[in-house]
Amino acid sequence: MLSRKAATLGGLLLFSTLLLGVQIGSAVSGDTTYDVLRKLEDAFLIVTRYYVDDIDNEEVAEEAIRGMLSELDPHSVYISRDQMQRVNESFNASFEGIGISYEFVEGPEGRDTLAVLNPLPGGPSDEAGLMSGDRIVAVDGQSAVGWNTEEVQANLKGPRGTQVDVSVLRP
C-alpha cells in the first residue's frame, strides 16, 4: 500500500503533464502556474525514481487527484475509469433510482443534506408520498447526512424492484 505522501507526490506529475501547454503561456505572462506545475512534476519524478519500493504510477496519480479534489468542496469528486465503467453499466442495465430530482443543502453541523426538489410523477417516491422540500436523512437505517453524489447514486439506485427504506425530515 502506498503512503498518502507518495500518492500525493505521484499525482503531481499527472497534473503537470496534463497542463504542459500552460507552460508557454505562463512563461510569457509571468504567471506562477508554471512554477506550481513544475513543482508537481519534480515531486512525481523524484518519487518514481527514488522511492524505496516499486510503485504503481497510475495508482499514485489517481490518489493524488483524489487528494487534491478532497481539498475543494464535497461535490468535486474524481471518477476513475473503473468507477465510470460501473456507472455506464448501471445505466445500460435496468437500474433505477427512487424517482426524485434533488439538491444538496446545508444540514446539521454544516454537513450537506439531500433535499428533494421534486418527486417524479408516478415514480416510487411520488407513490410513497415524498414531497418537494423533504430532506432524506437516512437510507436503510444509515445516516445520509454528509453524503456526496456518488454515495447517493450507490444507495438510491438499484435493479428495478429493489426496496429501500428512506427516512425523511419534513421541514
Side-chain angles (χ1 to χ4, degrees):
M1 180 59 78
L2 295 173
S3 71
R4 185 164 182 88
K5 185 176 182 180
T8 302
L9 294 175
L12 301 177
L13 176 64
L14 176 65
F15 292 112
S16 63
T17 303
L18 291 174
L19 301 174
L20 187 58
V22 175
Q23 292 178 0
I24 295 170
S26 297
V28 172
S29 69
D31 190 353
T32 61
T33 304
Y34 173 75
D35 296 329
V36 172
L37 291 175
R38 183 62 187 217
K39 184 189 298 185
L40 295 173
E41 180 181 19
D42 290 346
F44 186 81
L45 290 173
I46 290 169
V47 168
T48 58
R49 288 182 186 152
Y50 302 112
Y51 189 69
V52 66
D53 295 322
D54 290 336
I55 62 170
D56 180 342
N57 291 345
E58 183 73 24
E59 184 179 338
V60 170
E62 295 226 355
E63 283 300 317
I65 294 169
R66 282 187 200 91
M68 180 180 68
L69 293 177
S70 72
E71 294 297 314
L72 302 177
D73 61 79
H75 310 297
S76 297
V77 295
Y78 172 68
I79 301 174
S80 70
R81 181 181 313 128
D82 293 338
Q83 290 171 317
M84 194 64 209
Q85 185 176 5
R86 285 193 300 274
V87 168
N88 288 334
E89 287 171 357
S90 72
F91 283 120
N92 294 332
S94 54
F95 278 67
E96 295 183 355
I98 62 171
I100 60 169
S101 57
Y102 65 90
E103 69 178 343
F104 293 101
V105 296
E106 188 172 329
E109 300 172 16
R111 295 170 53 211
D112 287 343
T113 303
L114 185 64
V116 176
L117 290 175
N118 295 307
L120 302 178
S125 294
D126 184 37
E127 292 175 8
L130 258 66
M131 299 171 57
S132 294
D134 285 349
R135 295 191 182 191
I136 297 175
V137 294
V139 175
D140 288 334
Q142 304 259 4
S143 175
V145 176
W147 275 6
N148 60 34
T149 302
E150 188 174 291
E151 291 167 309
V152 171
Q153 298 295 320
N155 289 282
L156 293 179
K157 278 193 166 187
R160 183 184 303 252
T162 300
Q163 297 290 315
V164 63
D165 181 32
V166 177
S167 299
V168 174
L169 175 66
R170 184 162 288 157

